[in-house]
Amino acid sequence: GGGSPGGFSFNFGTGPQFNADFFNQMFGQQFGQPQRQSHVRMTVWINLEEVARGATKMVALKTQQGSNTVEIAIPQGIHDGDAVQYSAIAPGGSDLVIQFRIHPNHNWQRNGQHLITEKTVSVWDLILGAEITVEDIRNDQLLLNIPARTQPGTVLRMRGRGMPDRNGQRGDLLVRVNAEIPRNIPDDIIRAIEQNTTK
């Protein structure tokens, strides 16, 4: 899930910033300030779980001034392709601009702040109704009530259990329930179904 590269840009600096490079190019050194070094830009791949839980990550930087390793905070709720600016943590005091890419996830489909997942249950759970356990992306164990006579493919909503936004407000978890037919069905149940369908 996620968006396309070049989405929102966040700034982890302290206070407003202006583009000093532009002023230096236009007016040279007449303001008496040393020319600001260029931003260090890089791409970092992360997992959807890191976006959901919030995490820190060590990244290695290599520039003309040298190399070192810095720890960065991954903002909650970012999307694939979002750029985040970290002020004055790169070698030489430069700003670090990271474009985050999010690995595809086979267990979770992202739709904005909502998450969609699938859960396979017994066909009897759909017919009779049941309470099942669902694990969200933060590994919390949740109880989901399946109403009786639920059709296969029905999507059940668990509010506030999806992805967080930048303020920590979470979207919903949408669980699509699929039916699994038991391998060993007693003969008397088969006969009862046959009698009911032939009436």
Side-chain angles (χ1 to χ4, degrees):
S4 58
F8 293 105
S9 178
F10 307 96
N11 191 306
F12 272 41
T14 55
Q17 295 187 359
F18 65 92
N19 191 333
D21 290 334
F22 171 78
F23 282 91
N24 285 330
Q25 291 171 6
M26 291 294 293
F27 303 106
Q29 302 299 315
Q30 60 179 316
F31 290 106
Q33 296 178 347
Q35 185 172 356
R36 185 179 179 181
Q37 299 184 18
S38 300
H39 296 328
V40 176
R41 299 179 182 273
M42 64 184 303
T43 299
V44 173
W45 283 88
I46 57 176
N47 298 318
L48 192 61
E49 290 84 355
E50 292 176 304
V51 179
R53 302 169 192 164
T56 59
K57 199 175 190 73
M58 301 300 295
V59 296
L61 306 177
K62 293 183 179 180
T63 68
Q64 293 179 348
Q65 289 77 28
S67 63
N68 68 337
T69 303
V70 297
E71 184 179 65
I72 60 168
I74 301 172
Q76 286 187 341
I78 62 174
H79 290 264
D80 184 44
D82 282 352
V84 180
Q85 182 172 330
Y86 301 84
S87 296
I89 68 171
S94 298
D95 294 347
L96 173 63
V97 178
I98 293 181
Q99 183 185 51
F100 285 99
R101 300 303 311 273
I102 302 175
H103 291 290
N105 192 299
H106 299 295
N107 297 320
W108 305 98
Q109 178 184 345
R110 187 179 187 181
N111 182 7
Q113 302 311 123
H114 301 320
L115 283 176
I116 304 169
T117 190
E118 295 191 359
K119 184 79 173 179
T120 300
V121 300
S122 167
V123 67
W124 309 122
D125 289 339
L126 297 184
I127 295 173
L128 301 174
E131 190 174 65
I132 65 171
T133 300
V134 175
E135 186 175 89
D136 71 3
I137 197 168
R138 294 184 174 184
N139 300 125
D140 292 331
Q141 301 295 317
L142 312 173
L143 291 178
L144 174 64
N145 180 59
I146 300 177
R149 299 179 177 85
T150 295
Q151 293 292 325
T154 298
V155 176
L156 302 175
R157 182 183 298 268
M158 306 185 78
R159 297 192 180 278
R161 291 294 181 170
M163 292 292 293
D165 61 15
R166 290 184 62 192
N167 299 316
Q169 298 296 317
R170 297 175 66 180
D172 299 336
L173 174 59
L174 307 175
V175 182
R176 181 181 292 109
V177 289
N178 299 318
E180 180 180 50
I181 299 176
R183 294 181 179 275
N184 299 315
I185 302 176
D187 292 339
D188 57 341
I189 294 180
I190 295 294
R191 286 193 293 270
I193 294 174
E194 290 175 342
Q195 292 175 2
N196 185 66
T197 57
T198 56
K199 290 180 180 180

